Amino acid sequence: MKSYLYKYILIPVAGIVLISGEPCMLEEIHLTNLRCEMLVNPEGIDRSNPRLSWAISGNQRNIEQTAYQVIVASTSDKLASGEGDLWNSGTVKSNRSVHVAYTGASLKSRTKCYWKVKVWSDNGESEWSPPAYWSMGLLDYADWKGRWIGLDRSFPWDREEKHSRLSARYFRKEFKVDGKVKQAMVYIIGLGLYELFVNGQRIGNQVLAPAPTDYTKSVKYNTFEVTEALTQGKNTIATVLGNGRYYTMRQAYKPYKIKTFGYPKMLLQLEINYIDGTSKVIVTDDSWKVTADGPIRSNNEYDGEEYDATKEMPGWNNTGFNDGKWLNAEYVQEPGGTYEAQMNDNMKVMETIRPVAVTLLKPGTYILDMGQNMVGWLKIRVQGNKGDQVTLRFAETLKKNGELYTANLRDAKATDVYTLKGDDEEIWEPSFVYHGFRYVEIKGYPGTPAIEDFECRVVYDDIKTVGSFETSDKIINRIYKNAYWGIRGNYKGMPLDCPQRNERQAWLGDRATVSHGETFIFDNGRLYSKWLDDIHEAQKADGCLPNVAPAFWNYYDDNMTWPGAFITIANMLYNQYGDVQPVASHYDSMKKWLDYMQRRYMVDFVLAKDKYGDWCVPPESPGLVHSKDPGRKTDGELIATAYYYHLLHLMTRFANILDKPRDVQKYNILLAKIKDAFNNKFLNKENSQYSNNTVTANLLPLYFGIVPEKYHDSVFNNMVNIILEKNKGHISTGLVGVQWLMHGLTENGRPDIAYKLATNTGYPSWGYMAENGATTIWELWNGNTADPSMNSHNHVMLLGDLITWFYENLAGIKTDPANPGFKRIEMKPSLIEGLDFVKASYHSVHGLIKSDWKKDDNRFIWSITIPGNTKAEVYVPANSENSVTEGGKEASSANGIRFIRMEGDRAVFEIGSGDYSFISEM
């Protein structure tokens, strides 16, 4: 809304800014993107003090919130009238607009919460925001009135062995609606995976739900409003249960390693509230009917789904179906885990793409090419005779003869089978599996398949893409695109290592720092918060942490680099999202783990335990997975001790944030002792090198701040010499070293070397992958030649800090660690010869940030957008303060800009929110 002043008279349209002079339009303030626990209008949350966030924007520059007021009401009518019967915060003097904790009345199960907010700035008062909403879930165990049901057995058509085949379970229940419905809610825990129907209508757009957990520790429930799906009289609620990670992909196989949970099972509660004040509850019990003899004959995440359309049961999920031959549901034991509302996003079909080619390989066999390695499944259209079978096999690459290359899948069959029922035209897609693939082998297809007969359904967590990035360098752009496809495809309610072979586990080491870069592309904070909960649940009583979480595989190897992700990702969530809750929630568990590792493995302040080393360094032979050359391998004790030092440093930060001064003191004493011991053991002072002088051996102490000041430059110069001379300007690090490489070079004044590594196309490099046909990121630097035993073509671990470097150092979009969540932004792009422009955007928790710069002869042209309620420190390449203009005016006198200082060849300005156009002479 607008407010005008005429001389000293206020003519209110809306707003309260008091100024004098000629007529002018006052600032518009808009409040958007209202979120509860960073979710938009969520149903069924279980946070007793949920945190609220909003974004602020307006037409003028330098909008900064000085106060806010939040009203939360139990009905929309009360909210509209301004009655905050649940909470009225009053006017709170604060500039916080993210993670504002609800402190109103105690919230009970099922409470509906309608809320709005308004804010004040130096220039006025906003109108109330549009209304937003959240509802509370079932907060207590006793709120669940039903019992767990299932069928704890297999059937003659199933096969319980290494390659398990277990058919889906179909459940249904008819009931009556006896009055006018005010609201109806469903709460469901369907394990391993579920699909939900009311009167034949699919409820929700989620797939492969719920999110996976260690079901003995926690299980996630989803909440849906189904009011509009109900009708007067008879109704039917129905579900299908798939196996997921509950009935695991491998049965009776390596029980010491693979955790299994039992047969699929379900707990469901439908609560109907009538307008007259009465209610009705439908719960899972033995009155439900169930069959395992439906069309989904098998569903196995590794091996695929088999669907027999001749077994379809028309109308099974609607009223009037004859279920007389179905079984009665049986009571089964509950899984053991705590019931929790799922606060991260379910998976969804996020994109649909067409193949680029279909080729006849040999009579009856075709190869479909999607043109892109991706994750999801194939939707097919087919017409044929009853009993015809179409077999679809999936793979990432082809052999030279055009056949599928499946050796790198290990024993995953990755095969879907569809049996036709013989109707005119049949359309099918699987329900409970996904595949990592570019190519599909098609056998048994009646007639000649055409591109139009297939669609690829791209499936990952329902999270927004929040970043964009483009440069003048085509190789960097291709690498970024490959990273985008690889990252999103591996979001499966947990961050997978790979989506195609018989693994698909959430390895901690793979995402320790890669997750930081991911946040610039995807809104993944909720996913990684959930993953920290998974790690916490997997911790042993003595403090030991796993390498994989949820701990579907029993890997507890006691090393620093993989479990250390517990701490580094908590730090990332605080930096990128301003979210201190993961730090506070898991601080004691992190401390317990560090104490455990110190107690068991620290000798004279050196940690004498490592497992994986600098995993996957480029090997000396193209056929190798792991190098056998000792000169390429970094000392495991050096890695472990350096990581302990770094993680302890982060814990010192956490202790300061949480006001734990005794811990700070304890950590600082230990840090000093570890630093001394590390340098005494590993630093060769004569040669200014650490240990056997690998890049990683020198990089870790440099980046972690362990190197004594007088040796810093010489150690760094030695590392540079290794990269440029010994390694011919190529990468020589594995998973550990690559996590710090790009920033380690740039922050020590050599972004040009980082740029060289990023744009190389020779082996080993990210560009080498792209030049050799990769459309995602390989697991190995030599992924086109290495042994197939460990050679995924969709693995993001080797990205290291590359994507973070793209955004923070090339685009210049970086949060100030002292003001996290991009409350204060540092914009300092690296200018590198050969890079002529960078255009990037990032939608932070406070709003949209843009950085669009280009070189034009001796001029630097830079367009910037800063979101409301934030400030930025902008480093403009310039000869002097006076050589910088903004909007055609001298920058230091332009609206919303304050000159701070000259720092080398940069003029440093502070700017508030708004759009800016800088031009400078370099």
Side-chain angles (χ1 to χ4, degrees):
M1 295 294 292
K2 303 172 184 177
S3 177
Y4 291 88
L5 285 174
Y6 203 91
K7 301 228 182 245
Y8 291 94
I9 302 171
L10 177 66
I11 304 174
V13 183
I16 60 168
V17 180
L18 300 176
I19 61 173
S20 61
E22 296 302 312
C24 65
M25 187 179 76
L26 298 184
E27 175 184 343
E28 291 185 355
I29 299 178
H30 305 286
L31 301 177
T32 59
N33 200 22
L34 273 67
R35 289 150 293 159
C36 174
E37 290 296 326
M38 289 297 168
L39 294 163
V40 177
N41 298 330
E43 295 281 12
I45 72 170
D46 62 358
R47 303 290 193 266
S48 57
N49 296 101
R51 298 168 301 161
L52 310 178
S53 303
W54 54 90
I56 303 169
S57 61
N59 292 337
Q60 297 187 2
R61 290 179 174 177
N62 209 23
I63 299 173
E64 188 169 9
Q65 175 185 301
T66 58
Y68 67 82
Q69 182 179 4
V70 175
I71 291 179
V72 185
S74 58
T75 68
S76 57
D77 289 341
K78 288 181 178 179
L79 184 71
S81 66
E83 181 185 351
D85 60 324
L86 294 177
W87 186 38
N88 186 334
S89 71
T91 303
V92 179
K93 292 183 178 181
S94 171
N95 66 359
R96 175 177 285 275
S97 54
V98 174
H99 304 307
V100 174
Y102 169 91
T103 58
S106 177
L107 297 176
K108 298 179 173 57
S109 296
R110 309 174 183 84
T111 302
K112 310 296 180 184
C113 303
Y114 302 83
W115 70 285
K116 60 184 178 180
V117 61
K118 70 175 176 179
V119 304
W120 286 261
S121 76
D122 290 337
N123 295 332
E125 175 184 349
S126 75
E127 289 191 334
W128 285 104
S129 69
Y133 166 84
W134 83 86
S135 71
M136 302 303 292
L138 302 182
L139 304 183
D140 298 314
Y141 182 83
D143 289 327
W144 292 87
K145 304 302 181 183
R147 292 173 63 180
W148 285 88
I149 59 173
L151 294 171
D152 270 356
R153 61 185 184 278
S154 61
F155 291 84
W157 50 86
D158 297 324
R159 187 171 66 240
E160 295 192 277
E161 54 187 38
K162 177 181 176 181
H163 293 274
S164 60
R165 292 184 75 258
L166 191 75
S167 52
R169 272 76 165 127
Y170 295 77
F171 294 85
R172 66 187 311 274
K173 167 76 175 179
E174 291 194 7
F175 60 95
K176 285 186 177 181
V177 170
D178 301 316
K180 193 169 183 181
V181 177
K182 179 181 180 182
Q183 189 173 60
M185 306 293 293
V186 171
Y187 306 90
I188 180 173
I189 312 174
L191 305 178
L193 306 170
Y194 73 86
E195 290 180 348
L196 173 66
F197 303 86
V198 175
N199 294 329
Q201 175 185 333
R202 176 79 178 268
I203 302 301
N205 58 10
Q206 73 286 347
V207 299
L208 304 175
T213 58
D214 180 336
Y215 307 105
T216 64
K217 303 295 179 64
S218 67
V219 292
K220 303 295 186 183
Y221 67 85
N222 295 155
T223 303
F224 302 95
E225 182 176 352
V226 295
T227 309
E228 298 301 319
L230 297 181
T231 61
Q232 290 295 308
K234 289 185 177 180
N235 290 261
T236 297
I237 186 167
T239 63
V240 192
L241 295 187
N243 299 325
R245 295 295 177 102
Y246 198 81
Y247 183 86
T248 55
M249 295 76 75
R250 296 292 177 260
Q251 296 287 320
Y253 178 70
K254 295 185 177 180
Y256 58 86
K257 169 185 171 181
I258 300 171
K259 192 168 187 175
T260 61
F261 301 92
Y263 295 93
K265 58 186 62 177
M266 176 179 66
L267 181 66
L268 180 147
Q269 191 155 306
L270 166 61
E271 298 183 352
I272 304 170
N273 294 310
Y274 296 108
I275 287 179
D276 65 6
T278 60
S279 62
K280 185 173 188 175
V281 181
I282 308 297
V283 300
T284 42
D285 58 23
D286 59 0
S287 68
W288 284 61
K289 304 294 283 188
V290 59
T291 184
D293 195 14
I296 300 178
R297 308 306 287 175
S298 176
N299 58 106
N300 180 309
E301 187 176 322
Y302 291 166
D303 296 338
E305 184 164 308
E306 298 178 21
Y307 187 95
D308 185 350
T310 68
K311 302 289 290 184
E312 287 181 347
M313 306 166 289
W316 75 272
N317 54 11
N318 215 333
T319 302
F321 176 77
N322 182 2
D323 57 16
K325 295 184 178 180
W326 285 31
L327 304 172
N328 288 326
E330 298 172 2
Y331 290 129
V332 295
Q333 183 59 255
E334 61 183 353
T338 303
Y339 305 168
E340 298 176 351
Q342 183 174 319
M343 302 299 291
N344 63 299
D345 306 88
N346 272 316
M347 281 176 266
K348 177 183 164 185
V349 175
M350 298 295 285
E351 186 178 356
T352 299
I353 62 175
R354 289 280 189 187
V356 296
V358 57
T359 305
L360 177 65
L361 181 65
K362 57 186 177 182
T365 302
Y366 296 84
I367 298 294
L368 196 70
D369 181 4
M370 300 308 303
Q372 171 66 53
N373 197 14
M374 44 74 63
V375 185
W377 56 70
L378 204 62
K379 181 178 180 179
I380 69 171
R381 182 178 63 187
V382 61
Q383 186 173 349
N385 298 320
K386 182 178 180 179
D388 286 348
Q389 279 194 339
V390 179
T391 300
L392 309 170
R393 283 205 309 145
F394 298 82
E396 296 181 300
T397 58
L398 298 177
K399 299 178 182 178
K400 291 181 179 180
N401 65 1
E403 295 179 353
L404 293 187
Y405 179 82
T406 60
N408 69 328
L409 305 184
R410 299 173 180 166
D411 72 356
K413 294 184 177 180
T415 302
D416 293 343
V417 179
Y418 179 73
T419 303
L420 280 70
K421 58 188 171 185
D423 287 353
D424 291 339
E425 181 179 87
E426 302 177 41
I427 296 175
W428 174 79
E429 59 187 303
S431 295
F432 297 124
V433 299
Y434 64 87
H435 305 284
F437 67 101
R438 173 174 173 172
Y439 300 98
V440 187
E441 178 194 84
I442 304 168
K443 286 186 175 181
Y445 191 93
T448 303
I451 287 176
E452 295 75 20
D453 296 323
F454 305 95
E455 291 180 346
C456 179
R457 311 282 262 171
V458 181
V459 176
Y460 59 98
D461 291 9
D462 185 12
I463 55 180
K464 290 183 178 179
T465 299
V466 293
S468 64
F469 183 83
E470 181 185 4
T471 77
S472 59
D473 189 277
K474 294 181 179 179
I475 292 298
I476 285 181
N477 295 340
R478 287 175 64 186
I479 294 168
Y480 182 84
K481 181 183 178 183
N482 289 358
Y484 169 82
W485 276 93
I487 292 165
R488 69 174 182 163
N490 281 294
Y491 286 156
K492 294 290 177 285
M494 54 183 175
L496 296 182
D497 62 336
C498 61
Q500 75 296 89
R501 69 187 181 209
N502 64 347
E503 187 167 3
R504 312 186 194 197
Q505 300 296 328
W507 286 89
L508 275 63
D510 291 26
R511 302 301 180 104
T513 60
V514 175
S515 59
H516 185 177
E518 294 171 20
T519 65
F520 284 106
I521 308 177
F522 298 104
D523 181 21
N524 61 16
R526 296 176 298 280
L527 170 68
Y528 277 106
S529 292
K530 180 262 183 187
W531 197 37
L532 291 188
D533 293 339
D534 293 334
I535 298 170
H536 170 85
E537 290 180 349
Q539 186 172 37
K540 298 295 187 182
D542 59 5
C544 179
L545 285 174
N547 296 329
V548 172
F552 297 128
W553 285 6
N554 185 34
Y555 280 177
Y556 289 82
D557 291 320
D558 283 353
N559 66 95
M560 293 303 304
T561 44
W562 265 244
F566 195 25
I567 296 174
T568 57
I569 290 175
N571 187 61
M572 176 275 289
L573 291 171
Y574 181 63
N575 280 336
Q576 297 296 98
Y577 297 102
D579 190 356
V580 74
Q581 185 168 289
V583 173
S585 298
H586 300 301
Y587 179 86
D588 290 341
S589 296
M590 297 170 185
K591 181 180 178 182
K592 186 176 184 180
W593 173 63
L594 286 178
D595 288 346
Y596 166 83
M597 293 299 290
Q598 180 185 6
R599 182 178 72 251
R600 284 183 60 86
Y601 302 112
M602 189 171 283
V603 179
D604 296 329
F605 303 104
V606 170
L607 206 75
K609 181 67 164 68
D610 182 58
K611 172 66 176 180
Y612 299 109
D614 193 10
W615 187 249
C616 294
V617 299
E620 60 275 13
S621 172
L624 290 176
V625 171
H626 298 296
S627 173
K628 299 179 180 180
D629 177 8
R632 295 171 183 258
K633 299 179 180 181
T634 302
D635 187 335
E637 289 190 2
L638 181 148
I639 292 173
T641 308
Y643 259 72
Y644 196 99
Y645 182 91
H646 173 62
L647 297 173
L648 191 63
H649 185 75
L650 294 182
M651 288 295 288
T652 306
R653 183 191 192 199
F654 296 167
N656 275 310
I657 293 168
L658 301 176
D659 192 23
K660 297 178 180 290
R662 290 185 178 178
D663 283 357
V664 172
Q665 182 181 23
K666 172 187 171 183
Y667 297 155
N668 282 331
I669 292 171
L670 184 54
L671 282 167
K673 292 179 178 179
I674 294 172
K675 185 174 184 178
D676 287 343
F678 184 93
N679 287 309
N680 289 334
K681 183 174 180 64
F682 301 113
L683 175 60
N684 183 327
K685 296 177 181 179
E686 292 182 5
N687 298 327
S688 296
Q689 70 179 54
Y690 280 86
S691 190
N692 65 336
N693 206 28
T694 65
V695 169
T696 297
N698 293 298
L699 175 63
L700 296 184
L702 279 166
Y703 196 77
F704 295 163
I706 304 175
V707 181
E709 185 175 352
K710 67 178 181 179
Y711 295 102
H712 182 278
D713 290 350
S714 57
V715 170
F716 179 72
N717 291 333
N718 171 55
M719 185 182 77
V720 166
N721 185 65
I722 297 170
I723 294 173
L724 296 181
E725 300 300 326
K726 180 180 178 181
N727 299 328
K728 310 300 182 185
H730 284 78
I731 282 175
S732 61
T733 60
L735 178 150
V736 171
V738 79
Q739 295 181 6
W740 320 101
L741 181 61
M742 306 302 279
H743 282 84
L745 289 166
T746 302
E747 292 175 16
N748 284 283
R750 295 304 303 266
D752 58 315
I753 301 177
Y755 180 69
K756 179 176 179 60
L757 298 179
T759 55
N760 277 337
T761 57
Y763 172 79
S765 66
W766 299 286
Y768 175 81
M769 299 180 191
E771 288 289 282
N772 284 273
T775 59
T776 45
I777 303 298
W778 294 344
E779 180 178 19
L780 303 173
W781 296 112
N782 56 330
N784 59 328
T785 59
D787 186 286
S789 61
M790 197 190 90
N791 195 1
S792 159
H793 280 237
N794 192 348
H795 240 79
V796 300
M797 67 181 187
L798 288 182
L799 282 171
D801 66 344
L802 181 67
I803 303 300
T804 310
W805 184 77
F806 283 170
Y807 278 91
E808 292 186 348
N809 296 97
L810 296 189
I813 300 175
K814 182 180 180 180
T815 191
D816 175 4
N819 297 273
F822 295 85
K823 181 67 173 172
R824 187 175 181 87
I825 306 156
E826 180 184 296
M827 307 195 76
K828 189 178 181 180
S830 296
L831 299 191
I832 304 166
E833 185 176 350
L835 189 65
D836 298 324
F837 76 81
V838 173
K839 184 177 183 180
S841 67
Y842 170 56
H843 205 290
S844 73
V845 290
H846 284 96
L848 183 64
I849 306 168
K850 288 185 179 180
S851 175
D852 181 357
W853 64 259
K854 65 179 180 180
K855 301 173 187 174
D856 183 15
D857 293 328
N858 292 324
R859 297 194 309 164
F860 184 78
I861 302 171
W862 195 6
S863 296
I864 293 173
T865 296
I866 303 299
N869 203 30
T870 69
K871 289 188 179 296
E873 198 165 277
V874 179
Y875 293 71
V876 183
N879 297 323
S880 67
E881 168 194 354
N882 298 328
S883 68
V884 183
T885 62
E886 194 286 314
K889 301 177 182 179
E890 190 172 304
S892 57
S893 61
N895 175 37
I897 300 176
R898 181 174 68 89
F899 175 71
I900 301 175
R901 64 186 180 276
M902 286 297 300
E903 187 173 303
D905 61 354
R906 303 292 179 112
V908 185
F909 300 90
E910 182 184 74
I911 61 177
S913 64
D915 298 319
Y916 298 84
S917 297
F918 290 97
I919 299 177
S920 65
E921 300 292 332
M922 297 190 295

